[in-house]
Amino acid sequence: MKPLTVLGIETSCDETAAAVLRLDENGRPHVISDVVLGQAAHHAPYKGVVPEIAARAHVEGLDGTIAAAMRDANLGFADLDGVAATAGPGLIGGVMVGLLAGKAIALAHNKPLIGVNHLEGHALSPRLAPGGATFPYLLLLVSGGHCQFIAVMDVGVYRRYGSTMDDALGEAFDKLAKLLDLGFPGGPLVEKAAQNGDSKRFALPRPLLGRDGCDFSFAGLKTACAREVERLGAPTDQDKADLCASFQAAAFDIIEDRTRNAMCMFDTVWGAKGRLVAAGGVAANQGIRARLEALAAERNYDFIAPPLKWCTDNAAMIALAGAERLRLGFSDDLSFPARPRWPLDEEAARLRPSHQAGRKGAKA
Ligand code: KG4
Ligand code: ZN
């Protein structure tokens, strides 16, 4: 197999990122450069990501980020085999900035363009680390924008087992931090505050716990926290710690219960020893990792938590998805659209139509 070198561009949320990756002759990925320009300082005054500000910051930062990735890789655009850019799902202004930059480089240097589904990047990201996950594996993707289980069988062969019916878990962490005035991004601050808290003080709901399937719902938990904050009036540091600890206890119970069901679904397909992978910013939470690790051990699964830099949004995973696509002979034309919504199952159908099961209207 011919080695492939691909530039990846990621701008779907609040990280401006570019990376160069090489797939070697054995199909193994090597990250040659990996640059991430975070926007936290831009959004901190608003205690959340502001889409318009994110898009403007991508415009300002992307050229320099791509130049840095190419410089770190010690390559020119002519050395590339393709250009991969996130084409969705995400905040549409940012997605358009990155996709257009990718199209411009592809056009100017006569290289194939690959419009990458951001979720496919996350789904394949556990393969980036040395000795990374081998197919198939069960992925829990849990971030500020996503909360879903994906059975990753092969490149382009994905089954979504369940996803959130309302908010992502990271969103709930961020909302609680905002309510308690802890700062942004909220996840790590809630985790820190919870260390000194009593997890039993507030009886918070655990939506869908014990139900069939592996969908999530966090809106009720979020609302219950808002009600408690309202009731507390001016919460003390101890109140804050107790509420954060109680919130985390509820979130962990939900994650464990839903993951247990997702593993049962995965078992029926794969039977043998499974692999559970957690990715996304919330997977940085030590409590979640510990619960998933214990669950994996109980069910004879391997638990794989990729390095944090590839759990959160990055361009190496976009370059990987693009390179894998290119290796399979796929590329996109320059009219490829930016998509605010783009389910991964649909992506799988585009890439490997023959592997799709249960499509509506499909003949048996
Ligand atoms: O994957 P990510 O960087 O961006 C996307 O949302 O795609 O994830 C960011 C989310 C934020 O909601 C942040 O608060 C949350 O991940 N997060 C955490 C922790 N670190 C980051 N949530 C809980 N505990 C953490 N330690
Ligand atoms: Zn993401």
Side-chain angles (χ1 to χ4, degrees):
M1 182 198 315
K2 177 179 165 285
L4 292 172
T5 305
V6 170
L7 167 68
I9 298 172
E10 160 58 35
T11 55
S12 68
C13 190
D14 60 344
E15 319 279 5
T16 308
V20 178
L21 174 138
R22 182 174 292 133
L23 267 191
D24 69 19
E25 52 283 358
N26 300 311
R28 267 190 233 107
H30 303 270
V31 179
I32 306 175
S33 68
D34 185 13
V35 182
V36 179
L37 180 66
Q39 300 182 355
H42 287 84
H43 302 290
Y46 307 93
K47 299 175 184 166
V49 177
V50 183
E52 167 91 17
I53 292 175
R56 286 167 190 261
H58 288 309
V59 170
E60 286 163 19
L62 186 55
D63 279 1
T65 304
I66 293 172
M70 296 303 293
R71 201 169 47 237
D72 288 358
N74 206 14
L75 293 175
F77 291 124
D79 300 317
L80 299 172
D81 295 297
V83 181
T86 298
L91 301 175
I92 196 65
V95 172
M96 289 196 290
V97 172
L99 181 58
L100 205 60
K103 286 180 179 182
I105 295 169
L107 178 66
H109 298 277
N110 198 23
K111 302 290 177 188
L113 168 82
I114 309 103
V116 171
N117 183 312
H118 179 82
L119 298 173
E120 183 174 32
H122 276 302
L124 297 178
S125 66
R127 296 173 59 72
L128 285 173
T134 46
F135 298 122
Y137 49 87
L138 175 65
L139 173 76
L140 167 61
L141 173 58
V142 61
S143 71
H146 311 286
C147 198
Q148 52 187 259
F149 289 104
I150 302 165
V152 181
M153 282 98 147
D154 199 346
V155 175
V157 190
Y158 314 110
R159 302 253 193 291
R160 189 166 38 141
Y161 282 172
S163 52
T164 183
M165 295 154 67
D166 38 57
D167 303 323
L169 181 54
E171 214 176 320
F173 267 96
D174 292 337
K175 175 74 181 178
L176 179 59
K178 194 171 181 176
L179 287 167
L180 295 175
D181 218 9
L182 296 178
F184 171 84
L189 300 165
V190 168
E191 181 175 24
K192 188 155 173 268
Q195 280 168 3
N196 309 313
D198 171 6
S199 63
K200 297 205 168 66
R201 175 164 162 207
F202 297 95
L204 298 171
R206 285 147 168 78
L208 300 182
L209 201 86
R211 299 268 194 92
D212 285 349
C214 58
D215 284 332
F216 295 94
S217 168
F218 292 107
L221 176 58
K222 215 170 82 173
T223 311
C225 287
R227 230 178 288 127
E228 295 296 351
V229 174
E230 215 175 287
R231 211 171 288 157
L232 289 165
T236 63
D237 284 351
Q238 192 57 54
D239 291 334
K240 290 182 183 184
D242 293 346
L243 188 54
C244 287
S246 303
F247 166 82
Q248 284 209 132
F252 296 171
D253 285 352
I254 295 167
I255 291 279
E256 183 180 330
D257 177 79
R258 306 284 80 195
T259 306
R260 200 178 282 280
N261 285 2
M263 286 166 129
C264 288
M265 294 163 82
F266 193 70
D267 282 347
T268 59
V269 181
W270 295 104
K273 186 177 171 75
R275 278 176 289 270
L276 173 67
V277 178
V282 184
N285 187 291
Q286 293 304 321
I288 289 181
R289 283 185 182 229
R291 290 288 274 269
L292 292 176
E293 209 166 342
L295 181 59
E298 179 196 315
R299 297 189 59 103
N300 198 27
Y301 267 57
D302 283 332
F303 176 63
I304 303 159
L308 199 61
K309 64 177 175 177
W310 293 321
C311 273
T312 53
D313 286 349
N314 65 87
M317 68 183 191
I318 302 303
L320 173 62
E324 293 282 17
R325 172 89 51 86
L326 204 56
R327 188 169 60 88
L328 292 171
F330 292 92
S331 64
D332 297 299
D333 66 40
L334 293 177
S335 63
F336 197 78
R339 304 173 176 185
R341 289 179 186 282
W342 187 4
L344 193 62
D345 321 51
E346 193 185 301
E347 173 57 18
R350 183 168 83 102
L351 191 56
R352 298 268 186 104
S354 59
H355 284 66
Q356 281 300 293
R359 269 189 301 161
K360 277 190 189 125
K363 290 205 177 93

